[in-house]
Amino acid sequence: MKHLFQTVTLTFLIAGLTFYSCKKENSCNGCQTNTTIQNPNKPPIAVAGPDQTTNLPVNSILLNGSASSDPDGRIASWQWAKISGPPSFNIVNANSSQTQATNLAEGLYHFELTVTDSLGLFDKDTTIITVNKLYTNEIIFNDQVWQCWWGCWIDIPNLYSHLPSGASFRVFIKRDNSNTWEEAIPVSQVGYGYWVENDGHLIVYGDELGNDTPDIKIVY
């Protein structure tokens, strides 16, 4: 009788464990789960602004990174740094989207902008600043005459005979009705422009032509 009781007890114990195990394994059948899928953070986009040129004695320029953006958040920090160029420079506020670069010297500068978003992702962009030398010498060709044929231009021959060998230069024009010298830009399509032909002829042209006799100034 004792053995029978032990056998029955053991049988019920095994059955109970089996039932509990099955219930535990099947307890989540048919359960609903809520899964939240989060979009990954996207990095910001740094825009250091267009390349710029200044001519000494103007030795400062605006660094403008305000076109930078973050597609899914906000920009938390800005950082300007010079990565190459002459040793003379100063960034007034390196942690601002816009700031002045001052005390620039003749040469080519590369300024890098780093923008960082609120979750630590960042992007970089570079702008190039060209600082031209201070020109102290000038030659003025007075009362030049427009030549017109499919457009109008002023022709100054033998340009290089007036300049030291290898000298860089800039070209300006002053109209009869003005006291202001306006700079002509090499091969410009807007305003006044110029080019130098292979035989040394300086050709100056513009989009506001007339019957006057303007002065041409070469500074070098």
Side-chain angles (χ1 to χ4, degrees):
M1 186 69 179
K2 182 178 179 181
H3 292 291
L4 178 61
F5 175 77
Q6 290 177 342
T7 301
V8 172
T9 302
L10 181 60
T11 300
F12 276 103
L13 179 61
I14 293 173
L17 290 174
T18 303
F19 173 77
Y20 175 77
S21 176
C22 291
K23 183 178 180 182
K24 184 176 181 181
E25 290 178 0
N26 297 326
S27 60
C28 286
N29 286 346
C31 295
Q32 292 184 350
T33 58
N34 295 323
T35 302
T36 301
I37 300 176
Q38 295 182 345
N39 292 325
N41 180 37
K42 297 179 181 179
I45 301 170
V47 179
D51 298 340
Q52 302 180 71
T53 299
T54 186
N55 301 306
L56 295 173
V58 178
N59 66 346
S60 64
I61 207 158
L62 177 67
L63 300 175
N64 188 352
S66 61
S68 303
S69 62
D70 190 331
D72 56 1
R74 67 179 184 86
I75 295 176
S77 67
W78 312 75
Q79 181 67 51
W80 289 97
K82 189 199 81 171
I83 57 176
S84 68
S88 176
F89 81 102
N90 177 54
I91 300 176
V92 175
N93 185 354
N95 302 119
S96 176
S97 61
Q98 299 183 52
T99 187
Q100 289 282 337
T102 62
N103 297 332
L104 303 178
E106 178 188 353
L108 196 67
Y109 290 84
H110 288 73
F111 288 100
E112 182 180 76
L113 172 65
T114 302
V115 295
T116 305
D117 70 11
S118 56
L119 295 179
L121 294 183
F122 64 90
D123 188 32
K124 298 183 178 184
D125 190 30
T126 302
T127 185
I128 300 174
I129 306 300
T130 302
V131 182
N132 291 324
K133 66 179 291 185
L134 176 64
Y135 295 87
T136 57
N137 301 296
E138 65 180 37
I139 306 168
I140 296 178
F141 301 89
N142 293 309
D143 301 326
Q144 297 300 299
V145 178
W146 292 106
Q147 302 180 40
C148 296
W149 185 76
W150 291 96
C152 294
W153 64 91
I154 293 170
D155 183 352
I156 297 177
N158 302 317
L159 171 66
Y160 295 119
S161 66
H162 302 282
L163 300 174
S165 177
S168 58
F169 62 90
R170 294 162 62 192
V171 178
F172 296 83
I173 183 171
K174 184 173 69 173
R175 306 297 293 269
D176 288 352
N177 60 356
S178 174
N179 292 320
T180 301
W181 289 100
E182 298 184 64
E183 185 167 7
I185 306 301
V187 200
S188 174
Q189 297 182 0
V190 179
Y192 297 104
Y194 76 89
W195 74 82
V196 181
E197 296 185 338
N198 292 334
D199 58 3
H201 283 246
L202 172 66
I203 307 299
V204 182
Y205 59 91
D207 56 7
E208 295 182 5
L209 308 179
N211 296 321
D212 62 341
T213 54
D215 299 335
I216 301 296
K217 178 170 68 174
I218 311 296
V219 296
Y220 63 94

